[in-house]
Amino acid sequence: MASLVERRRAGAEAGIEADTAAGGERIAPLVIDPASVVLERPKNREHGDWASNIAMRIAKPLGANPREVAAELASGLEKLEGVASVDIAGPGFINIRLDAAAAGQLAHAIVEAGPEYGTGDLYAGVTMNLEFVSANPTGPIHIGGVRWAAVGDSLARILQAEGALVTREYYFNDHGEQIDRFARSLLASYEGQPTPEDGYGGQYISDITDRVVAAYAERVAADGAAELASLPAEEKQEVFRSIGVELMFGDIRQSLHDFGVDFDVYFHENSLHDSQAVERAVARLRDAGHIFEKDGAVWLRTTEFGDDKDRVIIKSDGNAAYIAGDLAYYLDKRERGFERNLIMLGADHHGYVGRLMAMTAAFGDTPYVNLEILIGQLVTLLRDGVPQRMSKRAGTVVTMEDLVDAVGVDAARYALVRSSADSQLDIDLDLLTKRTNDNPVFYVQYAHARTQSVARNAASVGVDRSVFDASLLDHETESILLGALAEFPRVVRQAAELREPHRVARYIEEVAGDYHRWYDNCRVTPVGDEPVTDVHRSRLWLNDATGQVIRNGLGLLGVTAPERM
RNA sequence: GCGCCUGUAGCUCAACGGAUAGAGUAUCUGACUACGGAUCAGACGGUUGGGGGUUCGAAUCCCUCCAGGCGCACCA
């Protein structure tokens, strides 16, 4: 099986905006891989506003010197409106510099576009189901789950910005062995017994136990149900199971909500079993000839579709295996009309990818397209640099609430979303708690607050946006800031394509830095008795445009953009 | 043993196959009688884990070795 990232990238749409129209005729008939040609904003500003490697790409098939090809192209580019200069550099880069007026026009465009700036149509009208978190209702969401809450919700926002019709979905696993363990743990707690061998421990278990007892007591009072203590053991455990799961579910929803994450659908696994959906899914696969029986169990021949081994769907004891729910669930999503189904899983579940992709193929769908599984690496929790072992059984779990209580929602979300999900993340609670200024979120938020402060000051001294002359935005820091602002749409697009929200975070950090440096060099309001000029007015547009971009970017991350700090 | 992810500055992490590998933080030096100093300017800091290969060009792609994390059920 090819690497997931590779498959993901191969399936992503290539974004090519190189304009070859300015080239001569000898280039037209060439066949080159468009994905290898890039028109980009160079890292180094001395290389101009835009740069392209096209000459180096096409030199070989042409049998020509890259610099000569570049020169030919450059002569055409120089004639374009708004282009100030075109240089050939290094092995054959074409560096394009725009005149200030052309570059500055962007500030006006951003302010006009407002919240729409940065959005695109990459996935216009595409129905997407994004499933994430889906933690078992056997305890509070721990720190690993919080990462998916932050990354998943942000990804949903980014995909929506590209026009996707996204449904956020939480698969609520309320069926099976884990839940039974949870129920047994509650019962044990109620009866003063030690935590069962395979059960859950910790303070929250006794808390939930007390609440179940209280909730059941209300039921007794209301409709005369039998006293809890008088129930047979089996019924007693069922009381703890049903009410305990319900309470846990409510708690999880609440903490996610407090974290700024609300799902459109909380899907209960139980409903799949109750509605015969599992049977229907199995029947469908059986009709397709992918089912066989062996050793008293029902199997899905996943090896036919690249899986390591065939998988049991119905165990020999007649109960459905876990994957049976997945089959029915996937089918349900497809029947609800989702073209693309994304599931975010922790690295501890990446072993499922093969079988789920095989399942997709068995249903006649296309793996990695109709179903896409995003694997994220786990979070290591540190305390003063020492890794902490978390154990649900021992109850030594750091929860979502713990993290939010320590650093707040904005800082927590930002810290979790600013790194690639491919890399393991170390979170040092003590560090985050003691020195919150270390979190770059404050740098970005401060930049936004500063744009708002500048706007307020401008208004108070009579600087308004009645005039906009882009050619007056010609300071070096303005050129850099404008260049950064221009990147936003492609950053959003790339973050959506690659499913990598962290790109947005890194980007707004750069914008914040460029803004602070501009602020240091260019005043929006006049000093002392100086009259208000069009320079001030034009700069106000740039100030407001920057605020808009940071606001839009923070919005994609689910982080607030404060007016003041 | 097989598979997936990772290895980049003291630390936490970026970098669409491109130009001199970047930020934050830490350490050191500077800048407020100017729109918020939660800021800015500068310095220090790297054999991108090691070794091969592909390419005009590799942190990025391929092979191999080393190290760490996580998986390889008729458990969920």
Side-chain angles (χ1 to χ4, degrees), chain A residues 177-201:
Chain A
E177 179 60 22
Q178 308 260 21
I179 295 297
D180 292 342
R181 287 181 195 166
F182 175 63
R184 285 198 295 273
S185 303
L186 293 177
L187 184 57
S189 165
Y190 171 69
E191 294 177 335
Q193 304 288 323
T195 300
E197 191 51 44
D198 54 2
Y200 303 98

Side-chain angles (χ1 to χ4, degrees), chain A residues 47 151-153 172 185 213 247 253 259 283 317 324 366 392 404 412 431 439 477 482 496 508 526 533-534 557:
Chain A
H47 295 138
V151 174
D153 183 61
F172 193 68
S185 303
V213 170
L247 290 172
R253 282 183 70 149
F259 197 59
D317 65 5
T366 310
K392 267 197 181 177
V404 169
L431 206 68
N439 194 325
T477 57
L482 283 162
I508 56 177
T533 69
D534 287 350
L557 303 177

Side-chain angles (χ1 to χ4, degrees), chain A residues 297-311:
Chain A
V298 178
W299 298 65
L300 176 62
R301 202 185 311 279
T302 52
T303 50
E304 195 173 321
F305 304 102
D307 195 11
D308 300 334
K309 54 194 77 169
D310 292 326
R311 304 293 170 179

Side-chain angles (χ1 to χ4, degrees), chain A residues 454-467 524-526 531-533 536-537 540:
Chain A
V454 167
R456 285 191 297 270
N457 290 332
S460 72
V461 298
V463 176
D464 57 27
R465 296 202 307 237
S466 58
V467 175
V524 172
T525 58
V532 173
T533 69
H536 301 117
R537 297 188 185 98
L540 181 58

